[in-house]
Amino acid sequence: MVSKLFESAILQLTENKLQTDDLQSGFKKGLGCADAIFTFGNVAEYFTRNGSTVYAASLDISKAFDKVSHYRMFIRLIKAGLPKCIIDVLLNWYSKLTSAVKWNTCISRWFVVGSGVRQGGVLSPVFFTVFANLFIDELRTSGLGCYIYDMFMGCFMYADDIILLSGSLNDLQSMLNVCDNVGSQLLLKFNTNKCKCIAFGKMAKSAMSGDGLRLDNGVVMWYETIEYLGIHFKCGKRLQVDIDPIRRRFLCC
């Protein structure tokens, strides 16, 4: 109880310092999955309606919350402008995190926890979004991806769920390279078995017949459908939602 009250106090004191990009919808007041899905769908629809093909990649970070490097997290918090006195308190706090494994009546030796955000902590979601915001920062700086007028609309995040949008297949590969570099900086790995590529627009079918794209020493293959925040989108000349999985779940219930 004391730790949660302490975290809440820190959050109130530093709320204006822990702002993330508008393209990150996770753990923000007034925003949710519906906002991320709505924006993604409208951007894809805008380009296909105007005769362009949109190439998308849905990325999965392997155990993202558990593998947050404390050292790199604090570097990101310092760059975000968090006051030094708060950083000192948090450093002291995180340096004393220990854990043990219990199996039946046996308990292992205690060991130091050097990565991951505290489960159930009030600050943990905010820390993670500040930590992962580097993906959007680097993609925005690269000049790659979809733009509507001068607004960057090439990447959408909801916590650790990332989806990339590009009007060029070569640019999408370059965006994956940017994500690969950021992942290396943050010590995060992508699970390429769960990452998917898809295309929408008049050239969608020809893209689907091509080879997969490279990411993190693996290959991201093309799929007829992808799932983003629980919604299934189908490849085609226009953006389509596949309701069959929802119908099947409903009938099973």
Side-chain angles (χ1 to χ4, degrees):
M1 177 64 73
V2 174
S3 63
K4 287 191 175 181
L5 290 173
F6 177 69
E7 285 186 287
S8 299
I10 292 179
L11 186 60
Q12 291 177 3
L13 288 170
T14 60
E15 194 170 8
N16 64 325
K17 296 290 186 180
L18 298 174
Q19 299 296 319
T20 54
D21 198 284
D22 290 340
L23 297 176
Q24 167 63 269
S25 302
F27 310 118
K28 287 184 177 179
K29 186 177 180 180
L31 292 177
C33 293
D35 300 278
I37 294 167
F38 177 80
T39 309
F40 161 70
N42 274 271
V43 172
E45 182 67 21
Y46 172 84
F47 281 91
T48 56
R49 188 172 60 246
N50 287 282
S52 299
T53 302
V54 177
Y55 305 93
S58 174
L59 307 184
D60 180 82
I61 303 174
S62 180
K63 298 180 180 178
F65 291 90
D66 294 330
K67 293 188 176 179
V68 171
S69 165
H70 291 170
Y71 172 75
R72 284 165 173 74
M73 181 182 75
F74 283 116
I75 293 296
R76 295 291 298 159
L77 292 175
I78 291 170
K79 289 183 177 180
L82 209 62
K84 183 179 181 297
C85 58
I86 301 295
I87 293 289
D88 289 340
V89 172
L90 293 171
L91 275 169
N92 182 273
W93 195 5
Y94 269 81
S95 66
K96 295 175 180 176
L97 289 179
T98 56
S99 187
V101 178
K102 183 179 181 180
W103 183 42
N104 294 329
T105 58
C106 299
I107 299 178
S108 72
R109 292 181 178 178
W110 292 88
F111 54 88
V112 176
V113 178
S115 63
V117 289
R118 298 175 67 251
Q119 293 187 16
V122 177
L123 286 168
S124 296
V126 182
F127 284 173
F128 179 81
T129 53
V130 173
F131 177 75
N133 201 69
L134 186 60
F135 284 103
I136 303 177
D137 289 343
E138 292 297 314
L139 287 167
R140 188 185 287 277
T141 303
S142 71
L144 302 165
C146 288
Y147 279 80
I148 296 180
Y149 298 104
D150 60 344
M151 292 188 300
F152 174 66
M153 290 291 178
C155 173
F156 300 100
M157 290 187 69
Y158 187 89
D160 61 332
D161 287 308
I162 307 174
I163 193 160
L164 308 178
L165 287 176
S166 174
S168 161
L169 197 54
N170 289 333
D171 279 3
L172 183 60
Q173 178 60 72
S174 298
M175 293 175 77
L176 291 174
N177 295 340
V178 171
C179 290
D180 198 2
N181 291 333
V182 174
S184 298
Q185 291 180 48
L186 301 180
L187 300 182
L188 296 175
K189 300 288 288 183
F190 289 97
N191 185 352
T192 51
N193 292 326
K194 292 184 178 180
C195 297
K196 296 182 178 181
C197 286
I198 196 170
F200 311 103
K202 59 184 180 180
M203 299 296 291
K205 292 297 182 182
S206 61
M208 302 292 288
S209 61
D211 296 331
L213 303 181
R214 305 293 303 179
L215 174 67
D216 203 359
N217 297 319
V219 179
V220 182
M221 301 304 297
W222 294 95
Y223 287 81
E224 291 287 336
T225 63
I226 64 167
E227 182 181 358
Y228 180 58
L229 300 178
I231 304 298
H232 294 77
F233 296 97
K234 294 195 296 185
C235 166
K237 291 184 178 180
R238 299 289 292 272
L239 182 72
Q240 303 175 68
V241 175
D242 184 5
I243 65 170
D244 285 342
I246 300 173
R247 183 186 290 118
R248 285 195 294 269
R249 285 198 297 268
F250 173 76
L251 293 175
C252 286
C253 291

